[in-house]
Amino acid sequence: MQDAGTVLAVLRERGRKGLPCDELYRQLFNKEMYLLAYGRIYANQGAMTPGASAETADGMSEAKIDAIIEAMRHERYRFAPARRVFIPKKNGKLRPLGLPSWSDKLVGEVVRLLLEAYYEPQFSDRSHGFRKKRGCHTALREIEYSWTGTTWFIEGDIADCFGSLDHDVMVRILAEKIHDNRFQRLIVNMLKAGYLEDWQYHETLSGCPQGGVVSPILSNIYLDKLDKFAEQVLIPEYTQGNHRKRSLEYQRLNARRHLARKRSDRAAANAV
C-alpha cells in the first residue's frame, strides 16, 4: 500500500484537474491511512467520550485497525448509531450533538481525509467555513481588501444545516465525481446509521450527525453547488452594465430635486 501522504497528494491532483475517482474505496484497506487518522484525532477532547458503546481511544491497537480493514474488504463494516446528547447554545436553546463510537470516529476521519483531499481544490475561493486555514477572519479580510466598492451586505443563515441535508441529493452529488459504488454505499450506511436518544433508536431520514467528523466536509460538498450557482448564474445576471443601479430611495430623491428645480425655474420666469 502507498504512503498516506502520497495517496492524499494524488487525490488533490485529481481534484485540481477535475478528474473522477474510480477506486476510492480501496484506500480504506490502507493501514497507513488509519494510522494518520489516529494521529489526528486521538488527542481530541471527545476521544475518550464513549458513544453508544464503552469503546474509546483508550482501547486502540493495530489489531483493531486490522479488524476494521478486514470488515471493509468484505463490505461488512457497519456504523453504529450515535449517542445523542444536547448542549446549550448562546441563545438559550439546545443543540443536538451526536457521539459516535471510537471505531466510527476513526473510519470517519479516514473518509474525511479522502474527501477533503479530493474536493478541497474544487471548492469556491469565496467559501471559508469548515476549511483548513480559513474561517471568519479570512472572510473578513477578503471583504476588507477585495469588496471595497460594496455599500451593503445581506446576511443569511441556513437553519439546521447539518440536519437538513437530503441524503439522495448528497449521494447524487458525490456520484458526479466519485464513480465507486462501494464508497457510495459506505457513505449511505454512515448517513443512515441513526442515533440513540435516551437509549431509544431513531432513524436518520435526512442530514448528517452534528458532531460527526465527516459532517463538515459533506456539508461543504453539498453547499458548493450553491456557491457555484451564485458565482456562475446569479452574479453574471445581476452585475451587468457599466455602473451600479441606483436605489429606489436615490431615484425618489432625484425626482424631488428635479421637481424642485422646475418649480424654481417657473417662479423665476413669472418674476420676469
Side-chain angles (χ1 to χ4, degrees):
M1 282 290 180
Q2 289 180 308
D3 175 77
T6 303
V7 171
L8 297 178
V10 170
L11 286 174
R12 287 190 198 96
E13 188 62 24
R14 293 190 71 85
R16 192 173 293 110
K17 293 180 178 179
L19 300 174
C21 286
D22 300 321
E23 297 182 343
L24 195 59
Y25 186 81
R26 69 188 185 94
Q27 299 305 330
L28 295 164
F29 310 155
N30 189 339
K31 194 171 185 177
E32 294 295 319
M33 291 300 304
Y34 292 89
L35 294 174
L36 175 61
Y38 174 73
R40 287 174 175 264
I41 65 173
Y42 81 93
N44 290 355
Q45 187 175 2
M48 297 300 294
T49 303
S53 67
E55 181 189 27
T56 65
D58 193 40
M60 184 62 190
S61 65
E62 289 195 35
K64 181 167 288 189
I65 294 177
D66 293 336
I68 292 173
I69 292 175
E70 185 65 18
M72 287 290 180
R73 289 186 186 277
H74 301 283
E75 290 192 69
R76 290 199 301 259
Y77 189 87
R78 293 294 179 268
F79 290 89
R83 180 168 65 90
R84 174 170 286 189
V85 297
F86 291 88
I87 58 176
K89 298 170 67 174
K90 291 182 179 179
N91 59 9
K93 296 182 179 180
L94 295 176
R95 183 181 69 177
L97 182 68
L99 301 176
S101 68
W102 168 253
S103 293
D104 289 350
K105 288 178 185 176
L106 185 65
V107 173
E109 178 64 11
V110 174
V111 171
R112 186 195 68 79
L113 287 169
L114 296 172
L115 289 176
E116 186 176 80
Y118 179 68
Y119 279 100
E120 179 66 26
Q122 304 176 53
F123 288 153
S124 166
D125 201 41
R126 308 281 88 79
S127 173
H128 295 266
F130 301 115
R131 297 181 65 186
K132 190 175 182 181
K133 296 182 180 180
R134 288 174 179 256
C136 295
H137 289 88
T138 57
L140 290 171
R141 193 178 302 122
E142 181 180 344
I143 290 172
E144 181 182 2
Y145 292 110
S146 302
W147 297 17
T148 54
T150 305
T151 56
W152 52 269
F153 296 87
I154 297 176
E155 180 184 3
D157 183 27
I158 301 176
D160 189 28
C161 178
F162 284 4
S164 303
L165 302 185
D166 187 291
H167 291 171
D168 293 334
V169 173
M170 183 80 255
V171 173
R172 285 201 300 270
I173 293 173
L174 290 173
E176 292 176 4
K177 298 289 183 69
I178 299 177
H179 304 163
D180 188 331
N181 291 332
R182 292 188 298 175
F183 190 84
Q184 292 175 26
R185 285 196 292 270
L186 182 72
I187 295 296
V188 171
N189 289 335
M190 178 190 298
L191 293 173
K192 296 187 178 298
Y195 63 92
L196 295 178
E197 186 176 331
D198 294 330
W199 300 107
Q200 284 194 326
Y201 175 76
H202 299 269
E203 292 184 86
T204 45
L205 303 178
S206 65
C208 47
Q210 187 96 9
V213 293
V214 191
S215 299
I217 183 65
L218 288 179
S219 70
N220 275 347
I221 293 170
Y222 197 100
L223 294 175
D224 184 61
K225 290 290 186 180
L226 177 60
D227 293 335
K228 294 298 194 324
F229 177 74
E231 291 178 348
Q232 298 170 9
V233 178
L234 294 182
I235 291 177
E237 183 177 346
Y238 288 95
T239 55
Q240 299 179 9
N242 297 322
H243 59 273
R244 180 185 290 126
K245 184 178 179 180
R246 300 299 185 182
S247 68
L248 184 60
E249 186 61 33
Y250 178 88
Q251 293 175 36
R252 288 172 179 166
L253 180 61
N254 202 39
R256 292 193 193 102
R257 288 173 177 169
H258 180 69
L259 291 173
R261 193 178 303 115
K262 289 182 66 175
R263 284 196 296 268
S264 177
D265 290 345
R266 281 199 300 266
N270 292 335
V272 172

